[in-house]
Amino acid sequence: FKFVIITDLQKLTSNDVFITFIYRNFATIDGKMRKENVRFIESLRACRAYKVAQLSHYGYHTAMGSNNAKEAKIDLLVSESNLSKNSSYFRYHYGWYEKDVYVMPFVPKDRFQVKTDFSLRKRKALATGTLTYPIDDENFTSFFGGRILQPMRKEIYANSELVKEKCDSFISDASEHKREGGAPVKKWRGYNRFSGGVLWEIKKRARLALYILRI
């Protein structure tokens, strides 16, 4: 493929597909929309491409994310589960969306290979992942009865010593890390945050392009 950088959504046509993310583009952790978010949504609304939004972490200020996705005229929502079928919380907040959520499952990279027959492996679980930031959204907390997006992951993380005979935990906490000899600090502090979308043009010889939005 030849990569072509496209920085203007209005240059896309109905033969293009644009992929973006609900989290940080249509909804934010603190529930505040920045000027960059507003401009992006307005530009996306006018864009002629087929628009796809990934729902990872859509629990952050769900109503805001839903309203902005509707405003941007998103055509298809994607997640690791068909939330239209499996989540009453999603159906309530995304009532305008009348399609199935397209399922895009997690797939391990090629570096993960089977080298030991299953019958010969240890009878022990392995827990990985990151505890993301608590959710301060009344819609979420009133429905789920708490602020934690991954309660099982939190329990394993908090009780790693207690369960170590049965489970090796490699779970980390996104909100803090230890400085050498110091107190926990915010992991994301001082970093520039970017959100990206992928565009591709559907022709005989497909052209792959990247669109990067800084927020």
Side-chain angles (χ1 to χ4, degrees):
F1 290 107
K2 289 185 177 180
F3 289 88
V4 179
I5 304 299
I6 299 174
T7 58
D8 184 357
L9 286 174
Q10 307 318 312
K11 291 182 179 180
L12 300 180
T13 72
S14 58
N15 289 325
D16 296 315
V17 177
F18 180 82
I19 302 176
T20 186
F21 296 83
I22 293 293
Y23 179 54
R24 289 186 176 174
N25 290 319
F26 301 94
T28 59
I29 290 179
D30 58 11
K32 298 178 181 178
M33 293 298 290
R34 278 72 176 173
K35 293 180 180 179
E36 292 84 356
N37 297 98
V38 175
R39 286 197 295 266
F40 172 62
I41 292 167
E42 291 175 348
S43 182
L44 194 57
R45 177 182 174 85
C47 176
R48 292 176 293 165
Y50 188 81
K51 291 164 279 194
V52 180
Q54 216 279 348
L55 285 161
S56 179
H57 290 24
Y58 83 98
Y60 288 102
H61 294 278
T62 313
M64 171 190 288
S66 174
N67 291 335
N68 286 328
K70 182 180 180 181
E71 178 68 20
K73 295 185 176 180
I74 293 298
D75 296 294
L76 183 68
L77 294 172
V78 174
S79 184
E80 62 271 17
S81 171
N82 183 356
L83 297 175
S84 293
K85 178 181 178 181
N86 300 321
S87 173
S88 58
Y89 180 75
F90 172 84
R91 289 194 298 271
Y92 178 80
H93 289 288
Y94 280 79
W96 59 270
Y97 184 77
E98 298 179 345
K99 304 174 185 177
D100 281 338
V101 172
Y102 186 83
V103 177
M104 186 174 64
F106 290 107
V107 177
K109 290 187 176 182
D110 293 339
R111 64 188 177 91
F112 293 97
Q113 300 179 16
V114 177
K115 294 187 175 182
T116 303
D117 187 86
F118 189 81
S119 63
L120 300 176
R121 298 179 193 176
K122 294 180 180 179
R123 293 189 174 183
K124 197 171 189 179
L126 174 68
T128 65
T130 304
L131 285 176
T132 190
Y133 307 102
I135 297 178
D136 292 313
D137 176 11
E138 186 177 351
N139 290 313
F140 183 92
T141 56
S142 62
F143 186 91
F144 292 103
R147 303 169 61 217
I148 306 302
L149 186 60
Q150 303 126 334
M152 181 60 73
R153 190 176 292 177
K154 182 177 185 297
E155 287 299 314
I156 296 173
Y157 176 78
N159 297 283
S160 59
E161 284 297 313
L162 187 64
V163 301
K164 65 181 181 181
E165 294 298 322
K166 298 293 184 181
C167 177
D168 285 331
S169 175
F170 290 89
I171 296 171
S172 60
D173 190 338
S175 66
E176 59 184 40
H177 75 281
K178 296 285 186 180
R179 290 181 297 187
E180 186 175 352
V185 295
K186 294 293 184 182
K187 199 169 191 177
W188 49 266
R189 185 178 297 159
Y191 286 79
N192 288 325
R193 291 176 291 165
F194 292 84
S195 177
V198 179
L199 319 172
W200 63 89
E201 191 170 333
I202 306 171
K203 289 185 175 180
K204 290 182 180 179
R205 298 183 65 181
R207 182 181 65 178
L208 183 66
L210 298 178
Y211 177 84
I212 304 298
L213 170 72
R214 183 174 183 177
I215 61 174

